[in-house]
Amino acid sequence: MTMKHKELTLAAALAVALVATTVAVPGLVDARPAYAVPVHEGGEDASFASPGSEDWDAAPAATLHLASAESGLPNASSTSVEQVDLQAVTTDDRLYLKLSWADATRDTSTADVRQFADAVAVQFPVNESARPPIAMGGASNRVNVWFWRADGTDQELLAGGPGTTTPLDSTLGNASRYENGTWEVVLSRDRSAGGANRTEIPEAQDLDVAVAVWNGSNGERSGVKAASSWHYLALGGGPQGPPYELLLWAVAGAAIVVTTLVTVEGVRRTRGET
């Protein structure tokens, strides 16, 4: 192979490396939504308080997979709801969450001790800079819980671990409907925390979120529930905010520099051998 051909081969390899890096790095950034819940910015004239509002059509949904939560209660491992779709919308002063899941029975009564109502809950860290234990937080890292039950109950709770829930003065808005074997529930709250024990909804930082669902006709109540792992509302630029993406691009830049230096050195040595 002549020196010219070797130089062309090395140049082609450099071009391939540059293209591969350009394609791969944005792919790494785009891969982050595995646990992301997209957040739609609602317009001033839009209405999201009702689950039947057509304005929800513009908000993308994330599917959260559920599994039986760890519990010492009987039949805790036999929960029935396997997934829930979560949509999130922010306006200037409010966060709206719409939760949709399949349930063959509409359970709304708790009049008998053997009857349990369908329910859903969403939890957030009180301290947004750290991720609490998934099971209702911990003593030093508490969670806010937004709870809705099909008998008309809604509560805003503070928890520092299983069995430690404390009701807060509720500022939640809620609306629900059951159609064709599917529950649709909208929960909303002012973005401002309004107190030391409430989660502040950030402007440009991702916020951890987890969901739990109860099917009343399956005997699900209290700790017998189907729960998700931690996901996050994509309010910022990545799992830890915008610096995450900057770090990826910095790594990509370093890779390009290294590739260029190796190529130049290869060309120099090739010329020295001819």
Side-chain angles (χ1 to χ4, degrees), residues 1-10 270-271 273-274:
M1 181 182 291
T2 64
M3 181 178 71
K4 184 176 181 180
H5 286 163
K6 289 180 179 179
E7 290 179 355
L8 289 173
T9 300
L10 290 170
T270 300
R271 286 179 175 175
E273 293 172 359
T274 57

Side-chain angles (χ1 to χ4, degrees), residues 119-243:
V120 68
V122 182
Q123 74 174 13
F124 308 98
V126 173
N127 177 3
E128 300 96 329
S129 65
R131 175 170 283 184
I134 189 67
M136 304 297 285
S140 61
N141 199 348
R142 296 174 293 179
V143 295
N144 259 183
V145 178
W146 299 2
F147 176 78
W148 171 90
R149 195 167 62 195
D151 64 350
T153 300
D154 73 87
Q155 290 180 303
E156 194 172 357
L157 305 166
L158 177 68
T164 64
T165 54
T166 301
L168 302 173
D169 292 334
S170 182
T171 59
L172 292 180
N174 80 84
S176 63
R177 70 174 181 175
Y178 180 87
E179 289 186 357
N180 301 318
T182 298
W183 274 113
E184 295 179 326
V185 177
V186 172
L187 298 174
S188 66
R189 201 209 69 185
D190 288 344
R191 296 182 65 140
S192 176
N197 293 320
R198 283 193 169 94
T199 302
E200 189 86 23
I201 309 302
E203 292 286 344
Q205 177 182 331
D206 297 334
L207 177 63
D208 287 323
V209 61
V211 174
V213 176
W214 291 260
N215 178 6
S217 62
N218 193 46
E220 298 172 25
R221 76 282 185 198
S222 186
V224 182
K225 60 188 176 183
S228 75
S229 59
W230 282 113
H231 289 61
Y232 64 92
L233 299 180
L235 293 159
Q240 300 300 327

